Amino acid sequence: MSIVVTGATGHLGRLVIEGLLEKVPADQITAVARSEEKAADFAARGVKVAIADYNAPETFDSVFSAGDKVLLISGNEFDKGRVGQHKVVLEAAKAAGVALLAYTSAPGSLSAALADDHRGTEAAILESGVTYTLLRNGWYNENYTESLGQVLEHGAVVQAAGDGKVSSASRADYAAAAVAVLTGEGHENKTYELGGDTAWGFAEYAAEVAKQSGKEIAYSPVSVEVFTGILTGVGLPEPLAATIAGVDASIEKGELVVTSGDLSRLTGRPTTPIADSVATALKG
């Protein structure tokens, strides 16, 4: 039996592998990556490495074995048909007879276009009959703190979310929840709505950044159309920019406020406050 993590060399995948290494022997972990180079550090620590690509179904033919627990981390190639990519993994996992397939999805309350691929993948998983766990990950603190440089440069937090709030958590929190499911018991055919313990708005976020940086930072709410234009102006393809701006429209409606408490329950600790992630980003 192996615990198999797809997308293992991405931001979330790396944190999941690190968490697994604290709980199980390295030779019980398989990191799925597109290239040996990216996963070389895992191999050096005794983790098994499988080279496979969501876009090449045949590469998954021998990745899984009966009894494996699998974490399917959703792809980020929005232009390549993510549901189809995910089905490649799902079908290979089902054929091998895995014990559990966990999938990183999006909150059930999210109606933005970003959620469409997740809903489609969830439907395929349920239809397949595999034993599953749906990890409906809310928003990451890092979605905002990784662009703090621009906020500090312009003295403004610019979003199209109005007075809406988001209950985000750190990427490490979501990784810890996945590790808990992959190494624990009783998660079969469960759906977890995951989000931070405390919801915050962008005026609060701007004030927090100002406090910690010592600079004047204001929240500048704009329309979805203006925000889409800003994102395309910095080089994002128009469809992706529209998708991201659409999430802000959902935030304004309260769709990214998750109140289940599932995340802190799964990890056994409080979620990481946005203020802590701001402090980490400013140090970096």
Side-chain angles (χ1 to χ4, degrees):
M1 193 282 285
S2 195
I3 296 175
V4 187
V5 180
T6 73
T9 57
H11 290 307
L12 182 65
R14 286 194 163 276
L15 290 168
V16 172
I17 298 283
E18 291 296 340
L20 288 171
L21 283 166
E22 292 175 11
K23 297 271 187 92
V24 298
D27 63 2
Q28 289 181 21
I29 304 166
T30 300
V32 181
R34 287 185 187 175
S35 74
E36 287 183 25
E37 296 79 30
K38 285 187 174 177
D41 55 325
F42 291 148
R45 294 164 72 182
V47 173
K48 293 182 204 159
V49 173
I51 306 305
D53 188 322
Y54 293 163
N55 301 303
E58 69 281 0
T59 61
F60 275 94
D61 285 350
S62 57
V63 169
F64 307 118
S65 300
D68 284 352
K69 289 184 175 180
V70 179
L71 176 65
L72 168 53
I73 293 181
S74 56
N76 58 7
E77 295 177 309
F78 295 93
D79 57 337
K80 290 195 177 172
R82 290 198 298 168
V83 177
Q85 289 181 328
H86 299 157
K87 280 182 177 176
V88 165
V89 180
L90 171 62
E91 284 161 14
K94 182 182 178 180
V98 303
L100 181 76
L101 178 81
Y103 171 65
T104 60
S105 192
S109 53
L110 185 64
S111 68
L114 181 77
D116 293 348
D117 289 346
H118 293 300
R119 297 292 94 84
T121 302
E122 287 187 7
I125 290 170
L126 294 178
E127 197 178 307
S128 76
V130 300
T131 302
Y132 66 87
T133 307
L134 299 180
L135 298 166
R136 288 180 169 171
N137 288 357
W139 231 219
Y140 298 171
N141 291 347
E142 290 84 357
N143 289 352
Y144 303 106
T145 60
E146 282 173 358
S147 56
L148 261 187
Q150 294 161 304
V151 170
L152 296 171
E153 183 186 338
H154 298 292
V157 171
V158 181
Q159 300 287 154
D163 295 328
K165 295 196 169 192
V166 54
S167 43
S168 65
S170 72
R171 201 177 270 123
D173 292 334
Y174 294 106
V179 169
V181 165
L182 294 166
T183 60
E185 302 296 331
H187 303 293
E188 293 81 5
N189 300 329
K190 296 274 180 71
T191 298
Y192 295 113
E193 297 286 348
L194 305 176
D197 296 334
T198 307
W200 51 270
F202 289 100
E204 294 168 75
Y205 177 63
E208 186 60 43
V209 175
K211 180 174 130 189
Q212 292 198 35
S213 67
K215 298 182 185 297
E216 280 192 29
I217 310 287
Y219 172 40
S220 176
V222 296
S223 69
V224 168
E225 292 73 25
V226 168
F227 193 45
T228 303
I230 290 169
L231 294 173
T232 54
V234 295
L236 260 60
E238 206 281 332
L240 181 58
T243 297
I244 291 170
V247 170
D248 270 22
S250 287
I251 290 172
E252 184 165 26
K253 294 182 209 158
E255 292 177 6
L256 276 176
V257 175
V258 178
T259 57
S260 67
D262 284 349
L263 183 52
S264 51
R265 246 193 317 277
L266 278 174
T267 61
R269 56 177 167 79
T271 60
T272 306
I274 188 69
D276 289 13
S277 293
V278 169
T280 301
L282 289 173
K283 279 182 206 149

